[in-house]
Amino acid sequence: EAELKAGRMPKALRELLEEDTADAGAAAASDADMVMQIPGKMLKRLMGPGGETIRHITTTSGCKIQVAKGEQSMKLGFGATMQDRVNAHLADSEVVTLELRGSTTRCEQAREMVLEVIDNKAERERRRAMAKEQRDIQGSTAAHIYRLRHAKDFEALELSPRASKEDIREAYRRLAMKWHPDKNRDDKKKAEEMFSLIDRAYKNLTSSTGDV
């Protein structure tokens, strides 16, 4: 990546990208023994640091791998620089076509190795998604336990177990005013009991570490 920013083409990427033919006007037909497509965003992963991943694949399998030119790449003239080629290739790279050359066995081995590199990333993404799902489930379970444990407190404040913290504060203010003993002199004993129940429920819910 640093080489690209400096206008230099890394050797591994230079080997991956097709070179122009000596005759700029000639567009030779592909003589690839096998063709496969990968998402363009996976190309850097396939390259690996300093091109070591793609180099390992080609060396191990004995199969030559090149990237087929897209529409923008084909428009380049004979005098285009390597950086021009990289920019054009990136513009074409939503889907990248790889051309594999070698025996059937070598091409199959290279193909499997390319897919393994791509699938490794997909597998990591899958594991991250599963871990997030597990955390969500655990969080949901904890919230459910919390609501069961404080069911009577929510009931005392005339609230649903899914009430928010703001709902709890508003309900407490409303009921505390309603049942304050000074406002219920005709039935002060019941008012004191209700006020105590409301106050205890509010403290239980606001002092709990569970999700509300």
Side-chain angles (χ1 to χ4, degrees):
E1 189 170 347
E3 290 179 286
L4 288 179
K5 290 180 179 178
R8 298 190 303 273
M9 171 71 73
K11 180 181 177 183
L13 186 53
R14 189 166 61 247
E15 293 172 348
L16 259 186
L17 297 173
E18 286 187 333
E19 297 289 347
D20 286 330
T21 60
D23 181 3
S30 171
D31 60 347
D33 297 300
M34 183 180 292
V35 174
M36 65 182 297
Q37 291 186 323
I38 64 172
K41 62 183 180 179
M42 295 290 188
L43 186 56
K44 282 188 177 180
R45 171 165 291 276
L46 180 60
M47 292 290 299
E52 100 180 27
T53 303
I54 190 64
R55 190 178 300 114
H56 170 71
I57 293 174
T58 55
T59 301
T60 302
S61 66
C63 175
K64 184 177 181 182
I65 302 176
Q66 289 182 309
V67 177
K69 292 177 182 176
E71 180 181 351
Q72 296 302 317
S73 299
M74 292 298 291
K75 290 179 181 178
L76 291 178
F78 179 72
T81 65
M82 280 296 184
Q83 188 61 51
D84 291 334
R85 295 181 189 183
V86 172
N87 293 337
H89 174 69
L90 291 177
D92 290 325
S93 63
E94 183 175 347
V95 175
V96 172
T97 298
L98 300 180
E99 296 182 346
L100 285 60
R101 293 177 173 81
S103 67
T104 301
T105 301
R106 290 180 176 181
C107 287
E108 285 291 348
Q109 183 179 0
R111 178 179 178 277
E112 290 301 317
M113 294 178 75
V114 168
L115 291 177
E116 184 179 352
V117 170
I118 296 173
D119 288 344
N120 280 344
K121 182 176 182 180
E123 178 63 18
R124 282 196 294 274
E125 291 176 348
R126 186 185 70 82
R127 285 199 298 268
R128 281 197 294 269
M130 288 180 62
K132 182 181 182 302
E133 182 179 355
Q134 187 62 32
R135 289 194 299 271
D136 291 344
I137 291 173
Q138 291 173 349
S140 177
T141 301
H144 180 64
I145 293 173
Y146 169 85
R147 290 172 185 134
L148 288 177
R149 186 169 66 244
H150 292 286
K152 290 186 177 180
D153 296 322
F154 282 109
E155 184 179 350
L157 294 177
E158 300 176 359
L159 291 171
S160 159
R162 295 186 177 277
S164 67
K165 291 182 179 180
E166 184 59 31
D167 291 337
I168 292 171
R169 285 191 288 268
E170 290 179 0
Y172 173 71
R173 285 194 293 267
R174 175 175 57 81
L175 293 173
M177 291 291 291
K178 177 181 178 180
W179 291 105
H180 196 283
D182 292 345
K183 292 192 174 185
N184 294 272
R185 297 182 183 277
D186 294 341
D187 197 348
K188 193 171 183 179
K189 183 177 180 181
K190 181 179 180 181
E192 288 175 345
E193 290 176 354
M194 290 299 296
F195 188 84
S196 177
L197 179 66
I198 293 164
D199 188 61
R200 183 167 59 251
Y202 176 73
K203 288 178 179 177
N204 287 341
L205 291 174
T206 55
S207 63
S208 173
T209 57
D211 293 328
V212 176

